Amino acid sequence: MSTVSKAFYKPLSLGMSVLGGLLAGVVFKQVWKYVGDNDVEAPDPKDLNRSVQEVLIAAAIHGAVFGLVKAAVDRAGATGYRALANEDPK
């Protein structure tokens, strides 16, 4: 990757990461509304009034959603970069 290409890809990648994080948060909240017994907020691991099972399920779903969205956003960014720069962003 050329120096100009690297300089272009870094801010693009950073912006895509921020958007991906925001999107993942929205997706997780929607999933949790469906899974979490009508709780709007996922349980805080330090909230001892919530069950261990509920906290661990929320953490697993949170991790899966963020991982999936991050991979999708990274892939979309790399594909878009390749379309614009005619090279892979490695």
Side-chain angles (χ1 to χ4, degrees):
M1 182 185 308
S2 71
T3 306
V4 173
S5 296
K6 284 183 183 179
F8 176 70
Y9 185 69
K10 293 283 184 184
L12 175 67
S13 178
L14 180 62
M16 293 294 287
S17 293
V18 170
L19 287 174
L22 294 172
L23 176 63
V26 169
V27 170
F28 174 70
K29 284 183 181 184
Q30 293 303 312
V31 169
W32 188 252
K33 282 182 188 178
Y34 180 76
V35 174
D37 277 340
N38 297 322
D39 285 334
V40 175
E41 295 293 321
D44 182 340
K46 293 177 257 171
D47 182 356
L48 299 179
N49 294 318
R50 306 294 279 270
S51 72
V52 171
Q53 180 182 1
E54 185 180 21
V55 168
L56 295 180
I57 288 171
I61 293 169
H62 186 265
V65 167
F66 271 78
L68 179 68
V69 170
K70 180 180 180 347
V73 167
D74 285 351
R75 184 65 177 218
T79 302
Y81 177 81
R82 182 170 56 183
L84 293 173
N86 294 321
E87 63 183 6
D88 289 348
K90 292 183 184 181

